[in-house]
Amino acid sequence: MTDLTSLTLAEARDGLAKKSFTSLELTDAHLAAMERARALNAYVLETPERARAMASEADARIAKGEGGRLNGLPLGIKDLFATEGVRTTACSKILGDFKPPYESTVTSQLWRDGAVMLGKLNNDEFAMGSSNETSCFGPVINPWRRAGSDTKLVPGGSSGGSASAVAAGLCLGATATDTGGSIRQPAAFTGTVGIKPTYGRCSRWGIVAFASSLDQAGPIARTVRDTAILMRSMAGHDPKDTTSVDRPVPDYEAAIGKSVKGMKIGIPREYRLDGMPAEIEKLWAQGADWLKAAGAELVEVSLPHTKYALPAYYIVAPAEASSNLARYDGVRYGMRVEGRNIVEMYENTRAKGFGAEVRRRIMIGTYVLSAGYYDAYYLRAQKVRTLIKKDFEDCYAAGINAILTPATPSAAFGIGEKTGADPIEMYLNDIFTVTVNMAGLPGIAVPAGKDAQGLPLGLQLIGRPFDEETLVSLGEVIEQAAGRFTPERWW
Ligand code: GLN
């Protein structure tokens, strides 16, 4: 039998339907792969008993000719999603052993459709980071290595566990979240596909909040088709999240193979950065050529406020985070460090419970929201945000269907290479991705090539609001041309 962990989600789905194997066999193969891959630190909690029970139920449904769209397919869940009765920590010490008495809407929809939970995946603490080095469970290792080197590389972040697990065959697909690039950047660093849907497409209910006006859930998987399949189950209106949007969920998979002839693809001038590696330039031009060969028309466009996106993001996101994280006070969740009085207890708990990057964000956020500074920072950043959004609206009003950019300014870097004194070095990773969150738009990252050291590189496509289908169609054109990316097993 072929290695069940090397199948795509769609292949596994079809294999189950044909009864080539059972969900229990598929699940056991993944559980064994997870055990062999502990050195990658992708999972922070494995749930084998639950997984096998869910798989057996899925097999029973298959035997009766029943079962939903994801019936019997084993998935990994980012530890930011609340899972009922299963430890959920956002990879922060402050949540301790918190076991939510509720299930996030997104994950409950996956279980509704029959999926199997393998465990909880590592991420940056409260999803703050671009390398998965801020997790209280330690860094995740990228299954990719530079040619001829055993230097450990980061998988990107914050959904580093999701990306690493998908790339290494430790699940068929994973949930992830994207506040400033956390689905697309790790996908690009690991040769996987990630979609950040339009803000409001997936419910945020039951997802640990980072920056509520930017946070959005989405899938990471090995192919564009697989992300399309997962997104259909994850998306949908939820009365428990007032920002979720009430519009029908399309069959995203049907967009695979749809002609992109005549589509207008924007190439934004402002994304051509000074000092951008030649390989990224080349990759971008190659992507444009592939889309052109498929019948699309390439048009140079301008997004003039791009240069303000990163600074504005690093005001808005910490501001919202400082407010969202006020709830971790030693009373309601997990950890408590006693003090002589209640104020000291709050202080001790928060000082011990949060890691350095989270503390930095809370301090910046509190500062930019404080009286006297609010207008100069927060209000101004919100105005910039409106202008960034308008840049995209102008493009789309001029007939552009989607915008093509690099996903990241470099390939995966080494553990510890960017955690020095200057946090901006790390923040610069998000330069091509944050604009999309600021504007609330959908974006997909698709592997498109390799750098000189053999590491995968990704391209990003940015779509019109709620037009994820076009991203699926265009993304698949790139995938078909670039081929699949699988790391060589060393772990
Ligand atoms: N890297 C960005 C940050 O640190 C984005 C993180 C995310 O999208 N969750 O804020």
Side-chain angles (χ1 to χ4, degrees):
M1 191 156 32
T2 53
D3 177 7
L4 294 179
T5 64
S6 65
L7 299 174
T8 66
L9 182 106
E11 288 164 353
R13 174 189 64 184
D14 301 345
L16 285 174
K18 280 197 270 167
K19 300 200 165 66
S20 309
F21 43 81
T22 65
S23 171
L24 196 56
E25 285 166 344
L26 190 61
T27 300
D28 278 340
H30 282 90
L31 290 170
M34 285 156 64
E35 219 177 295
R36 283 195 302 271
R38 295 222 173 101
L40 300 178
N41 204 23
Y43 282 87
V44 295
L45 182 73
E46 296 176 9
T47 54
E49 279 154 37
R50 182 176 288 241
R52 302 189 86 237
M54 288 172 102
S56 301
E57 285 164 27
D59 284 330
R61 285 191 295 268
I62 294 171
K64 284 193 274 175
E66 295 168 1
R69 246 176 238 132
L70 300 176
N71 195 48
L73 301 173
L75 305 178
I77 303 299
K78 185 177 183 179
D79 205 27
L80 221 61
F81 292 77
T83 40
E84 191 178 349
V86 176
R87 192 188 70 186
T88 301
T89 68
C91 296
S92 179
K93 279 198 299 204
I94 207 153
L95 273 140
D97 279 325
F98 176 60
K99 290 200 180 78
Y102 46 81
E103 186 77 28
S104 85
T105 299
V106 163
T107 48
S108 70
Q109 289 172 181
L110 297 174
W111 317 143
R112 171 202 69 197
D113 291 347
V116 169
M117 176 165 84
L118 293 168
K120 302 299 290 285
L121 293 161
N122 209 337
N123 51 253
D124 276 299
E125 184 178 6
F126 285 105
M128 296 175 192
S130 309
S131 63
N132 216 128
E133 289 171 288
T134 70
S135 162
C136 75
F137 296 103
V140 176
I141 312 299
N142 193 330
W144 288 87
R145 300 204 287 199
R146 294 177 184 130
S149 154
D150 57 8
T151 302
K152 291 193 168 88
L153 305 180
V154 304
S158 64
S159 310
S162 307
S164 188
V166 168
L170 314 182
C171 56
L172 292 172
T175 65
T177 62
D178 191 315
T179 303
S182 280
I183 291 176
R184 293 158 287 155
Q185 187 253 13
F189 274 15
T190 56
T192 58
V193 182
I195 300 192
K196 180 203 98 75
T198 311
Y199 184 79
R201 183 68 285 191
C202 297
S203 169
R204 289 182 297 107
W205 195 83
I207 300 173
V208 177
F210 166 8
S212 306
S213 76
L214 302 162
D215 297 345
Q216 184 60 205
I220 293 182
R222 287 201 281 275
T223 65
V224 175
R225 180 185 295 276
D226 290 357
T227 54
I229 295 169
L230 290 169
M231 185 162 52
R232 187 173 182 191
S233 290
M234 293 170 76
H237 178 238
D238 175 12
K240 291 196 291 237
D241 172 6
T242 52
T243 63
S244 84
V245 172
D246 191 2
R247 49 193 290 160
V249 178
D251 176 2
Y252 297 112
E253 195 181 357
I256 297 276
K258 232 167 127 188
S259 168
V260 301
K261 228 185 174 126
M263 277 195 191
K264 278 184 157 181
I265 310 299
I267 304 288
R269 201 176 297 145
E270 293 77 7
Y271 282 55
R272 198 153 279 130
L273 303 178
D274 283 345
M276 189 155 83
E279 319 177 291
I280 304 277
E281 279 274 3
K282 224 177 94 200
L283 179 89
W284 195 8
Q286 173 68 266
D289 284 347
W290 285 329
L291 294 178
K292 205 162 159 185
E297 184 191 335
L298 279 300
V299 187
E300 188 173 91
V301 296
S302 176
L303 299 167
H305 296 92
T306 299
K307 60 177 175 294
Y308 304 116
L310 203 62
Y313 169 84
Y314 275 98
I315 291 175
V316 173
E320 294 186 21
S322 72
S323 159
N324 273 327
L325 270 55
R327 77 190 70 179
Y328 303 105
D329 55 6
V331 178
R332 277 170 290 188
Y333 305 91
M335 179 172 169
R336 171 182 294 189
V337 182
E338 294 298 347
R340 276 167 307 179
N341 52 46
I342 189 159
V343 173
E344 213 181 83
M345 186 278 283
Y346 290 158
E347 288 172 354
N348 290 347
T349 302
R350 289 170 66 81
K352 282 252 154 47
F354 291 131
E357 182 61 27
V358 175
R359 290 201 299 273
R360 179 182 1 244
R361 307 269 182 129
I362 292 173
M363 284 190 277
I364 294 172
T366 309
Y367 179 79
V368 299
L369 288 176
S370 59
Y373 294 103
Y374 182 90
D375 288 2
Y377 291 104
Y378 186 70
L379 203 62
R380 186 164 300 190
Q382 290 289 37
K383 287 181 181 162
V384 170
R385 185 172 182 180
T386 306
L387 293 171
I388 290 168
K389 189 156 178 272
K390 193 172 167 298
D391 285 351
F392 284 103
E393 283 164 3
D394 290 347
C395 272
Y396 295 140
I400 297 293
N401 297 93
I403 293 168
L404 179 73
T405 79
T408 57
S410 74
F413 45 89
I415 303 257
E417 264 173 31
K418 295 196 183 195
T419 46
D422 183 6
I424 310 279
E425 263 214 67
M426 187 67 83
Y427 297 171
L428 281 171
N429 266 289
D430 308 324
I431 195 130
F432 299 131
T433 46
V434 289
T435 49
V436 175
N437 301 75
M438 295 294 264
L441 298 170
I444 186 172
V446 186
K450 284 184 183 169
D451 76 352
Q453 294 170 306
L455 297 178
L457 295 170
L459 285 171
Q460 170 178 241
L461 285 152
I462 306 168
R464 296 179 173 188
F466 297 100
D467 191 14
E468 286 82 2
E469 288 160 284
T470 293
L471 297 185
V472 168
S473 304
L474 290 166
E476 208 245 355
V477 170
I478 292 180
E479 183 177 62
Q480 285 298 322
R484 288 260 311 277
F485 292 74
T486 311
E488 229 167 88
R489 192 169 293 179
W490 53 265
W491 55 91

